[in-house]
Amino acid sequence: MLHVSAAIAGLVTGGAYALMGLSTLLTYRLVAVVNFAQAAVGAFGAFTMVVLHEEGLPLVLAIACGLVTAAALHMGLGAVMVRWFSEAGEGVKAAVTIATFTGLVAVGLRLFGAQHPHRFPSPFDSPAFTAGGVVVTWTAVVTMALAVLFAVLPTVLLKRTRVGLLLRALSERPTTAELIGIRVPRLSMVVWGTAGAASALAIMIVAPQLASDFGSQALLITPALAAALVGGFRSFAWTFAGGVALGVLQGLASTVVALQQYRGVLPFLVILVVLLWTRRRDRWDSMA
């Protein structure tokens, strides 16, 4: 029963990891950027929300302001990418996002750091239903529903709509897409803004279970990248599965005394295993 309870509790974290990973994958699939600053942008939105709520703003309005803040920050990064790095290689784009991550963490720690602890609201902590004697909260239900929605909608959008076709053209050949009349900047800003808001929402959900400092939440990019790697930076479904599985594994690890202190290492272990697995064929071919 303890393991089942821990696994279900891990669904909340796993759903947030999946949502974060899916927003990272969305940025990569549609604007060809591996964005290391994704979680830092989301953390800015989450902390904006909690600070405004502490100042007396109603929670719904504070959440809206946090989402807008994250979307605006991410769109600012997107504008830089579109203006100066649209034809740059993936390595250069990733380096720009790493530099952005470093800057956002420095500013975020200054504004919202551990010296000013914050209590994140948990509006969905009430029980939703009981499964096998284990209480499932509304937080788990809402998180999983959002993650499923964010996994399904981009897949349908890319495969079944004209907008999806334009977005794929934007990702693969941005300059050519602009030359044939596609409004590249506008489409790019929509993608960047949506991904930024989704990251902030994921952190708002999972924040009550984490350390309430900006640095810890900005480092959620690690499980996000682990989930995206499980999906090969291609599949929204496998990214969703990878994020949820990672959260469940961390929940189960919390029940084993010898593993409790190593739960934070699991995302790095997943990244290492996936990278070794994906490179095995090249290695075996070279040895043949």
Side-chain angles (χ1 to χ4, degrees):
M1 184 64 69
L2 178 61
H3 292 330
V4 175
S5 179
I8 291 178
L11 288 177
V12 178
T13 306
Y17 288 170
L19 192 57
M20 184 72 69
L22 289 165
S23 62
T24 303
L25 176 60
L26 183 72
T27 306
Y28 179 75
R29 285 287 306 273
L30 300 185
V31 291
V33 177
V34 179
N35 187 6
F36 288 85
Q38 192 102 26
V41 169
F44 248 95
F47 272 90
T48 298
M49 176 274 292
V50 76
V51 168
L52 291 175
H53 185 54
E54 289 173 348
E55 293 297 324
L57 192 68
L59 181 58
V60 173
L61 292 179
I63 290 173
C65 290
L67 296 179
V68 170
T69 297
L73 274 176
H74 217 218
M75 289 170 69
L77 176 57
V80 171
M81 288 295 185
V82 171
R83 178 65 178 84
W84 287 292
F85 300 100
S86 60
E87 291 296 327
E90 289 186 6
V92 173
K93 292 178 180 178
V96 173
T97 68
I98 291 171
T100 303
F101 167 82
T102 304
L104 287 176
V105 169
V107 175
L109 288 174
R110 179 69 175 177
L111 295 176
F112 314 114
Q115 66 270 26
H116 303 297
H118 299 278
R119 180 180 176 85
F120 280 82
S122 304
F124 302 114
D125 266 358
S126 58
F129 58 89
T130 302
V134 178
V135 176
V136 180
T137 66
W138 279 109
T139 302
V141 175
V142 170
T143 304
M144 292 300 296
L146 287 172
V148 169
L149 185 66
F150 211 72
V152 172
L153 284 181
T155 303
V156 174
L157 177 70
L158 288 173
K159 292 184 177 180
R160 303 290 180 86
T161 67
R162 181 176 179 274
V163 173
L165 179 63
L166 296 178
L167 288 170
R168 283 155 55 194
L170 166 64
S171 172
E172 295 171 8
R173 294 288 187 273
T175 301
T176 303
E178 191 165 16
L179 288 174
I180 64 175
I182 297 175
R183 296 177 178 177
V184 171
R186 181 179 298 180
L187 277 175
S188 296
M189 291 305 99
V190 170
V191 172
W192 284 93
T194 301
S199 298
L201 184 60
I203 292 181
M204 289 176 192
I205 292 170
V206 78
Q209 303 180 38
L210 301 176
S212 59
D213 66 284
F214 188 91
S216 296
Q217 296 184 18
L219 288 176
L220 285 174
I221 190 60
T222 306
L225 291 173
L229 273 172
V230 171
F233 274 92
R234 294 293 303 172
S235 170
F236 288 94
W238 279 107
T239 298
F240 166 79
V244 172
L246 182 56
V248 171
L249 283 174
Q250 286 189 325
L252 291 173
S254 68
T255 65
V256 181
V257 176
L259 298 178
Q260 286 178 352
Q261 59 183 328
Y262 301 110
R263 287 185 301 161
V265 179
L266 278 174
F268 295 98
L269 183 60
V270 170
I271 290 173
L272 178 61
V273 169
V274 172
L275 288 175
L276 289 174
W277 178 258
T278 55
R279 298 296 298 175
R280 75 194 189 286
R281 184 174 301 173
D282 293 342
R283 179 62 177 169
W284 290 346
D285 287 346
S286 65
M287 294 174 64

